[in-house]
């Protein structure tokens, strides 16, 4: 082989080695196409371990950005098509309602791929898929008998629900009562609220506390003294307990729509849905052994009352 041929051979060989190494390195790195970004007001980056089974099965990376619901809405409106996010997971359906009104969610077009039970707590109109129930419960001290929501109209109580949680709790009241009676119910309810900061330690220990099941479980060892209270599912002997819904929404400009959809379908199948709710201290709609009796009316019907309730609460404030 002459000198030119030798040089040509070495150049070609070196080029092939570089190409081979480049391909090897490329396949070893996680693809940016498999990076899913979740915005949430209750999950943090440390909670990615909750979704480890999906991450391993689909070979994706997951990033959770924690921010308040108001900031999520602001981010969507300000950045528009440039927003770097795919999924939204918020604590309350009231914030899902607000997002739908601002047009920042992707339309849900795969209802036929969800089970009937999951479809019952989801809504194509409000663009969310529900995956868990968080009942509004009463933590009763010994000797207090607040067994229904109506009992809170006559018993002084401490309300730990934020406004964004309170509105879904009051929606069944507005649904079943006429407007005047419903508004009066809300007024009487708020009149019997006592602020935690204004109550003495002795009076606080005697009052029932209205909160969510997840808050009750997560705060048993705090000054709220849930350990010395018994959990009551209100209306369990009649129409059933009211509840909030934990949900998934796909961002309207989601760059990873297919992965976001796979994520939703994965965590709405029986076994993985049960595991997810157990980790989040919520209830699965797929669990027939649930310890609370659910209110009969479905969420998307009740969401039509949110705006009216919000206005009533603003007038009371």
């Amino acid at each position: 082989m002459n000198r030119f041929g030798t040089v040509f051979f070495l150049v070609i060989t070196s080029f092939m080695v570089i190409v081979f190494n480049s391909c090897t390195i490329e396949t070893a790195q996680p693809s940016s196409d498999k990076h899913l970004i979740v915005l949430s007001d209750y999950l943090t980056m440390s909670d990615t371990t909750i979704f480890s089974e999906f991450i391993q099965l689909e070979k994706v990376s997951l990033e959770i950005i924690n921010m308040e619901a108001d900031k999520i809405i602001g981010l969507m409106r300000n950045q528009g098509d440039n927003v770097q996010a795919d999924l939204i997971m918020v604590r309350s359906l009231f914030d899902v309602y607000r997002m739908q009104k601002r047009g920042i969610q992707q339309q849900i077009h795969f209802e036929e791929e969800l089970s009937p039970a999951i479809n019952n707590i989801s809504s194509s109109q409000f663009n969310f898929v529900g995956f868990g129930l968080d009942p509004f419960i009463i933590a009763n001290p010994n000797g207090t008998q607040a067994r229904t929501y109506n009992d809170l109209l006559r018993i002084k109580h401490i309300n730990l629900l934020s406004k964004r949680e309170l509105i879904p709790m009051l929606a069944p009241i507005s649904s079943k009562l006429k407007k005047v009676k419903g508004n009066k119910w809300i007024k009487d309810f708020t009149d019997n609220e006592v602020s935690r900061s204004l109550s003495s330690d002795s009076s606080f220990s005697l009052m029932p506390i209205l909160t969510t099941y997840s808050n009750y479980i997560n705060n048993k060892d705090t000054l709220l003294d849930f350990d010395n209270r018994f959990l009551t599912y209100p209306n369990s002997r009649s129409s059933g307990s009211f509840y909030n819904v934990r949900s998934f929404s796909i961002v309207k400009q989601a760059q990873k729509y297919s992965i976001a959809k796979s994520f939703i379908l994965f965590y709405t199948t029986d076994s993985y849905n049960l595991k997810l709710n157990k980790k989040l201290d919520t209830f699965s709609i797929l669990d027939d052994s649930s310890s609370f009796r659910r209110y009969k009316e479905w969420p998307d019907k009740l969401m039509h009352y949110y705006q009216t309730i919000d206005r009533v609460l603003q007038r009371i404030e």
Side-chain angles (χ1 to χ4, degrees):
M1 183 182 294
N2 58 32
R3 183 176 179 183
F4 175 79
T6 301
V7 171
F8 180 77
F9 174 78
L10 291 173
V11 169
I12 293 297
T13 302
S14 299
F15 176 76
M16 291 177 66
V17 170
I18 291 171
V19 170
F20 175 78
N21 287 338
S22 299
C23 293
T24 303
I25 293 171
E26 183 67 27
T27 55
Q29 292 177 339
S31 169
S32 61
D33 291 338
K34 303 282 271 183
H35 183 67
L36 191 67
I37 301 177
V38 178
L39 304 180
S40 177
D41 64 351
Y42 66 95
L43 296 171
T44 65
M45 193 60 190
S46 63
D47 291 317
T48 54
T49 55
I50 294 174
F51 308 101
S52 58
E53 289 167 314
F54 178 81
I55 292 170
Q56 293 169 11
L57 183 66
E58 297 292 329
K59 295 180 173 56
V60 302
S61 59
L62 179 67
E63 179 181 357
I64 299 175
I65 301 175
N66 178 265
M67 60 174 64
E68 296 175 357
D70 288 342
K71 292 184 178 181
I72 293 175
I73 293 172
L75 179 70
M76 297 291 110
R77 296 186 68 181
N78 293 335
Q79 296 193 9
D81 293 340
N82 298 317
V83 69
Q84 298 295 309
D86 305 294
L87 272 171
I88 299 173
M89 297 175 66
V90 288
R91 186 182 300 275
S92 178
L93 272 190
F94 179 61
D95 290 314
V96 175
Y97 169 85
R98 295 168 62 216
M99 292 175 190
Q100 188 271 339
K101 292 300 180 184
R102 289 160 177 78
I104 63 177
Q105 305 148 294
Q106 183 84 245
Q107 183 72 40
I108 300 297
H109 291 298
F110 48 89
E111 301 97 322
E112 70 283 352
E113 298 179 59
L114 301 169
S115 70
I118 292 294
N119 266 317
N120 284 336
I121 59 168
S122 305
S123 174
S124 57
Q125 178 182 357
F126 293 102
N127 303 328
F128 71 90
V129 175
F131 68 84
L133 312 179
D134 196 5
F136 296 110
I137 63 98
I138 297 175
N140 273 307
N142 290 328
T144 299
Q145 301 297 319
R147 298 194 177 277
T148 69
Y149 298 109
N150 281 336
D151 287 338
L152 300 178
L153 303 183
R154 61 179 180 81
I155 299 175
K156 291 293 183 183
H157 63 276
I158 292 174
N159 175 21
L160 294 184
L161 301 178
S162 65
K163 184 178 179 181
R164 54 181 27 97
E165 293 172 317
L166 183 59
I167 289 174
M169 198 285 288
L170 294 172
I173 300 296
S174 291
S175 171
K176 66 182 181 179
L177 297 179
K178 291 183 179 179
K179 184 176 180 181
V180 174
K181 288 185 177 180
N183 292 353
K184 184 179 185 305
W185 197 102
I186 295 172
K187 176 69 165 56
D188 292 343
F189 168 82
T190 56
D191 284 346
N192 269 303
E193 286 183 5
V194 177
S195 170
R196 172 68 180 96
S197 60
L198 296 177
S199 61
S200 66
D201 290 339
S202 58
S203 62
F204 171 76
S205 63
L206 298 174
M207 292 181 188
I209 298 175
L210 176 66
T211 186
T212 59
Y213 175 82
S214 61
N215 187 49
Y216 176 84
I217 296 299
N218 290 322
N219 290 287
K220 279 202 166 186
D221 298 325
T222 68
L223 294 175
L224 296 172
D225 199 29
F226 284 149
D227 270 340
N228 292 317
R229 296 172 179 271
F230 61 92
L231 186 156
T232 301
Y233 294 105
N235 297 20
S236 59
R237 296 179 181 178
S238 54
S239 57
S241 299
F242 307 157
Y243 57 90
N244 215 333
V245 175
R246 296 290 177 90
S247 64
F248 304 115
S249 294
I250 300 178
V251 174
K252 191 171 185 178
Q253 305 87 357
Q255 297 178 7
K256 313 293 167 41
Y257 175 85
S258 61
I259 303 176
K261 176 185 172 182
S262 296
F263 183 90
I264 292 173
L265 293 177
F266 186 86
Y267 285 108
T268 50
T269 56
D270 290 14
S271 59
Y272 294 114
N273 183 261
L274 291 170
K275 289 179 182 178
L276 177 59
N277 279 285
K278 185 176 181 180
K279 291 175 181 177
L280 296 178
D281 296 316
T282 49
F283 289 90
S284 170
I285 189 70
L286 304 175
D287 185 5
D288 294 332
S289 63
S290 177
S291 58
F292 86 102
R293 184 181 176 190
R294 175 190 52 77
Y295 184 68
K296 59 183 178 181
E297 199 162 1
W298 297 117
D300 64 339
K301 303 296 183 185
L302 297 173
M303 292 173 81
H304 292 282
Y305 296 92
Y306 284 6
Q307 186 175 30
T308 299
I309 297 168
D310 189 20
R311 289 173 178 170
V312 173
L313 291 174
Q314 287 178 19
R315 288 198 298 268
I316 292 173
E317 292 171 356

